[in-house]
Amino acid sequence: MAKGAKGEPEVDGTPATLHEDDGATEEDTINYWAAMTFTKDDNKGGHLLEESSFAVLFPQYREKYIREAWPHVTRALKEVHLDCKLDLIEGSMTVNTTRKTWDPYIIIKARDLIKMLARSVPYVQALRVLEDEMQCDIIKIGNLVRAKERFVKRRDRLVGPNGSTLKAIELLTQCYVLVHGNTVSAMGPFKGIKQVRKIVEDCMKNYHPIYHIKTLMIRRELEKDPTLKSENWERFLPQFKKTAVKKKKGDREMADKIKAAAADGGLAAALEEGGKKKKKEKKVYTPFPPQALPRKVDEQLESGEYFLSTQEKDARKQAARSKKQKDTVAVRKVEREERFVAPKVEAKSAAKKGGDSLAEVGERLKASSSKGGGKKAAADEGGVANYLGGSARKRMQSGDYSSSVKQRFIPPYSGNTSAIAHPSTQPG
């Protein structure tokens, strides 16, 4: 910024005067926040007195890219009379001043440059940090959200679909923004970097970036109107407040009932029951406060445990634990034995079941055989009832078996092999 003869800032070549009473300038068009240029003539000594250096570590996955881009970084730092060193064994980048360095702040710019390279910023974009109007900031977001899934969702929300949200932030703040891992790298003017930090931190606090984008768009339109220069813009800006509606206790109970009823199939009844409002019972007013609950020390004093020694307390706890174990073992033993007890089966007689007797069954068989479908021989010998009621020996003696059945009976083997003839030797 140029200065007049008496040290006053100039506006179009004319020095601006100051009021004696309040010290304000007559010109409002002066930008007192503009960065002042520093030239080689401003450094009367021509070089720096001491050597300064900064070193930054980089992750292993960035080694290949940094090794390829290091010649371009060296060439850019050589123009501002700085020296740099890349150590691939240690994984670090170092910058330091030389005897020809005349700008005292350029080493801070070089430190920011290697920081951006370590944070996965392309070297073409990172070299812009060496400019006077360009600043950088690294925003750490890894510790702002505890849950990992929630952190990933909010970080993706900051990028937006196909990077649209991030692009809108870059256009409105005039900054370069890179979301990588647990950090957000931003490069741009001071004002834009401050806005980016606000947007990123609010996004991780569950405020959507679209709200800030809308506010920045309205502000940019208001800046174009000179009539609103001295007015308050709060009435034009949207007010986005986070409102968390707390559910009442009755609503929570109703929701639980509906879930339980839906599982059982009685959803309509649950809705009808939940729709009825319950009347609150009025409590009787008493001017006396409720009785205080006894403290743990009071209970120990009453039971006498307070005066016991440590060994006695441990022994008492061990005894209670052993008793509880014995009770549990006894219950488990009874449960195991119940599985081996046979169930009780009640003897059901034919009379209880309402079945027919043997004589009745015989009468039905006799009736069916009279129609021509039963055994006539059994019916002629004295009735079906007597035939079924007799023993097996009587039936064998009665000779009621047919001749065909007797022929099928084979006597036991007597040991005479000559009686058994081969089928092939028998006559046809």
Side-chain angles (χ1 to χ4, degrees), residues 47-88:
H47 60 85
L48 302 179
L49 184 62
E50 294 288 343
E51 179 182 334
S52 302
S53 63
F54 291 98
V56 174
L57 299 175
F58 60 87
Q60 187 177 4
Y61 64 86
R62 289 287 293 170
E63 179 179 338
K64 182 179 179 181
Y65 180 82
I66 292 175
R67 188 171 64 250
E68 295 174 355
W70 196 249
H72 303 282
V73 177
T74 305
R75 193 179 306 113
L77 293 177
K78 192 175 181 179
E79 294 177 0
V80 293
H81 308 289
L82 290 178
D83 191 13
C84 60
K85 179 183 177 182
L86 177 63
D87 189 352
L88 297 178

Side-chain angles (χ1 to χ4, degrees), residues 228-416:
L228 301 175
K229 184 178 180 180
S230 59
E231 296 185 12
N232 189 7
W233 291 354
E234 291 296 332
R235 66 179 188 273
F236 301 108
L237 301 178
Q239 301 294 332
F240 301 107
K241 293 183 179 180
K242 185 177 180 181
T243 56
V245 180
K246 294 183 179 180
K247 292 184 178 181
K248 296 180 180 179
K249 186 177 180 181
D251 298 341
R252 289 195 298 268
E253 293 178 355
M254 180 61 187
D256 296 339
K257 284 184 179 180
I258 290 175
K259 288 181 181 179
D264 299 339
L267 183 59
L271 290 172
E272 188 174 327
E273 182 182 353
K276 301 177 182 179
K277 295 184 178 179
K278 297 181 179 180
K279 295 182 179 180
K280 294 183 179 180
E281 298 180 358
K282 293 183 178 180
K283 297 181 179 180
V284 180
Y285 172 74
T286 55
F288 305 102
Q291 186 177 2
L293 297 175
R295 298 178 302 166
K296 187 176 182 180
V297 178
D298 297 337
E299 294 177 354
Q300 292 178 352
L301 288 171
E302 185 177 355
S303 62
E305 185 182 355
Y306 184 81
F307 304 100
L308 297 177
S309 62
T310 307
Q311 291 81 5
E312 292 175 345
K313 290 180 181 179
D314 295 340
R316 180 176 291 187
K317 289 181 181 179
Q318 184 64 27
R321 192 181 299 113
S322 302
K323 183 181 178 182
K324 186 177 180 182
Q325 290 177 354
K326 290 180 181 179
D327 296 342
T328 306
V329 169
V331 172
R332 296 287 174 82
K333 185 178 179 180
V334 172
E335 292 178 356
R336 286 194 301 269
E337 291 176 353
E338 286 179 355
R339 289 182 293 180
F340 298 100
V341 177
K344 295 181 181 179
V345 179
E346 297 180 359
K348 297 181 180 179
S349 60
K352 291 182 180 179
K353 293 182 178 179
D356 298 335
S357 62
L358 189 61
E360 293 177 354
V361 174
E363 292 294 336
R364 284 201 302 269
L365 290 175
K366 183 178 179 181
S368 62
S369 63
S370 62
K371 296 179 181 180
K375 294 182 178 179
K376 296 181 179 180
D380 296 340
E381 288 291 332
V384 179
N386 298 330
Y387 176 76
L388 294 175
S391 63
R393 182 178 297 178
K394 291 180 179 181
R395 278 181 277 147
M396 291 289 293
Q397 293 175 359
S398 62
D400 56 352
Y401 284 105
S402 62
S403 60
S404 60
V405 174
K406 292 181 180 180
Q407 290 176 0
R408 292 176 187 174
F409 178 74
I410 300 174
Y413 174 64
S414 61
N416 187 8

Side-chain angles (χ1 to χ4, degrees), residues 1-10 13 15 36:
M1 184 185 296
K3 295 185 179 181
K6 296 183 179 181
E8 297 87 357
E10 294 182 354
M36 298 178 62

